[in-house]
Amino acid sequence: MTPAARVQAAIEVLDLVIDAASERRAPADRIVTEWFRTRRFAGSKDRRAVRELLFRAIRACGPVPATGRAAMLRLVADDPSLASLFDGSRHGPEPVRDGEPVAEGGSAPAWLEKRLVASGMDAAELATLLDRAPLDVRVNSLRGTTPSLPENGEATHARLGLRYPPGTQVEQWDAWREGAIEVQDTASQLVCEALNARPGEQVIDLCAGAGGKTLALAAAMENRGRLLACDVDRARLSRLAPRAERAGATMIEARLLNPGQERAMLEDWQDAADAVLADAPCSGSGTWRRNPEARWRLDEAELERITRLQHHVLNLAAGLVRPGGRLFYVVCSVLDEEGPDQVARFLAENPDWRPVRPVLPAGNARGEGWRLTPFRDETDGFFVACLVSPC
């Protein structure tokens, strides 16, 4: 593919991403992979170049652009060297017309940017939300703590964390295939460390997803005790079993829950858990470095729906904690309504519960909890709070 053809290809994929975002369908990564699956003529360099253009354009636009071409022209405004590639060649984009629409820049749609600023995210914080993320791994102590790894890994704030450059192909390493390491952002690792799950305890990962935090908890518990991983998403939870086998995590019980029936399906765990990790569904604003188009999928109605769900998850989790046990509420968001405001509401409704602010080796206090951000801590954006059940 010529450089101009790569630009046109990125425009075509952007159109698909914009359309999918409006209906909350497939993410950009999956769309670009599927697009190339039917275009065998594109080599590996072409795929990398198109992907790079695609995500640069997504990061350059604040509100949802009208078209992929408008999004690419936003990128041209920031990088004029691309203008010459709009040359009208056979597979390239048409020349730029006077007055042609250009997508707006910014960090997010205006309403969302206002919410972020109100949550203490200044201009530097907002800009860093859209940087490229490094690749962090956690050394799996169930497989030993000294695997053979490339020497360019940098220690992170996490006890067993290492950081590598963006795009590192960790899945090609023997250490990954053997379960000696797991890909996990430093913020996620720190949350699991703060929970301090101990061997012999009874612990629930309430919104386990594919099980990244579950595996970290199993390692901390040294495969001793009970560890229940729950989720309402069958596809995501089904990925836990092969990951657990590779990691040597043998004490995990997975339980698929039906939406609206969670409490009844967890009746045997009521008032029983030493610790519950409630990694609640959220806007994902703290992970835009990895999924920058996610901010196009969010509107005020969706955020309101998410916050209602978080309130439900918090109350569901509270019923599972034994007297004197601990509830860790976590969201990968930097919006106050999803973090400190949710905790404040819970404490107002449950005054016998006691907040104990977790102190991590990175981040800062926010409300009754703790927040990490890409700008200050070089991690994903996370909020975590620890709530202790009345005895």
Side-chain angles (χ1 to χ4, degrees):
M1 298 174 72
T2 65
R6 291 170 174 173
V7 171
Q8 179 59 31
I11 289 171
E12 293 177 16
V13 179
L14 277 164
D15 280 327
L16 297 175
V17 170
I18 293 165
D19 183 57
S22 67
E23 299 181 10
R24 300 188 182 96
R25 290 189 278 107
D29 259 337
R30 193 185 310 164
I31 289 171
V32 70
T33 298
E34 289 299 319
W35 193 86
F36 276 118
R37 197 184 305 279
T38 58
R39 291 161 176 84
R40 302 293 184 182
F41 58 84
S44 59
K45 290 183 179 179
D46 296 321
R47 292 193 295 271
R48 282 195 299 271
V50 171
R51 182 181 291 269
E52 177 71 17
L53 285 166
L54 170 73
F55 282 100
R56 283 177 63 196
I58 291 172
R59 289 182 168 93
C61 301
V64 184
T67 65
R69 184 175 171 93
M72 190 59 65
L73 289 176
R74 173 72 262 164
L75 185 57
V76 170
D78 296 338
D79 182 2
S81 66
L82 294 172
S84 63
L85 300 179
F86 285 73
D87 58 5
S89 57
R90 181 180 176 192
H91 297 293
E94 292 296 317
V96 181
R97 303 181 300 275
D98 289 341
E100 186 171 357
V102 177
E104 292 182 47
S107 301
W111 74 269
L112 183 51
E113 194 167 295
K114 183 182 294 186
R115 301 280 187 100
L116 290 164
V117 171
S119 299
M121 303 296 288
D122 61 21
E125 291 272 17
L126 290 175
T128 313
L129 284 176
L130 295 171
D131 282 350
R132 289 194 68 188
L135 185 138
D136 293 350
V137 301
R138 173 182 57 82
V139 175
N140 177 20
S141 57
L142 293 177
R143 297 294 195 197
T145 56
T146 56
S148 177
L149 294 170
E151 295 180 357
N152 63 329
E154 299 178 358
T156 72
H157 293 294
R159 187 170 60 86
L160 295 173
L162 290 170
R163 173 162 294 169
Y164 293 91
T168 299
Q169 300 297 307
V170 65
E171 293 85 357
Q172 297 178 6
W173 299 352
D174 289 340
W176 183 85
R177 287 191 288 264
E178 295 164 1
I181 57 171
E182 289 289 336
V183 176
Q184 187 177 23
D185 182 76
T186 294
S188 180
Q189 294 182 50
L190 291 176
V191 164
C192 295
E193 290 179 16
L195 187 139
N196 193 27
R198 295 180 286 271
E201 286 195 317
Q202 298 194 104
V203 178
I204 301 176
D205 186 354
L206 187 58
C207 306
K213 295 183 182 66
T214 309
L215 297 178
L217 296 175
M221 296 171 71
E222 300 174 5
N223 268 338
R224 290 186 283 141
R226 293 185 69 194
L227 177 56
L228 179 68
C230 308
D231 208 279
V232 296
D233 188 325
R234 182 185 298 274
R236 295 188 70 201
L237 192 61
S238 68
R239 298 202 290 270
L240 172 56
R243 294 182 70 187
E245 182 178 3
R246 189 181 70 241
T250 58
M251 43 85 81
I252 298 170
E253 175 192 345
R255 186 176 299 186
L256 180 68
L257 304 178
N258 295 329
Q261 301 177 24
E262 301 96 338
R263 196 175 304 277
M265 297 180 75
L266 290 168
E267 183 64 34
D268 56 322
W269 277 84
Q270 292 297 308
D271 304 316
D274 296 293
V276 175
L277 176 63
D279 185 4
C282 69
S283 67
S285 56
T287 61
W288 288 349
R289 299 187 304 170
R290 304 171 196 283
N291 305 291
E293 84 281 4
R295 65 203 203 282
W296 296 348
R297 299 170 180 270
L298 192 64
D299 57 27
E300 293 180 273
E302 175 65 6
L303 182 58
E304 183 178 346
R305 185 194 70 81
I306 289 170
T307 55
R308 288 197 303 269
L309 181 57
Q310 290 162 351
H311 182 252
H312 167 70
V313 168
L314 252 175
N315 283 285
L316 175 65
L320 304 172
V321 181
R322 67 163 174 80
R326 57 205 189 276
L327 164 57
F328 271 69
Y329 173 73
V330 181
V331 285
C332 50
S333 172
V334 293
L335 289 166
D336 278 351
E337 51 251 76
E338 298 184 84
D341 292 357
Q342 285 284 6
V343 171
R345 178 183 178 184
F346 176 85
L347 291 171
E349 296 172 348
N350 301 272
D352 292 339
W353 283 72
R354 177 169 55 92
V356 178
R357 184 180 290 121
V359 179
L360 282 60
N364 292 279
R366 190 78 182 172
E368 294 291 355
W370 200 259
R371 185 168 76 180
L372 300 109
T373 70
F375 177 69
R376 296 182 182 278
D377 309 301
E378 299 182 328
T379 67
D380 283 350
F382 262 69
F383 174 85
V384 57
C386 175
L387 304 166
V388 177
S389 173
C391 293

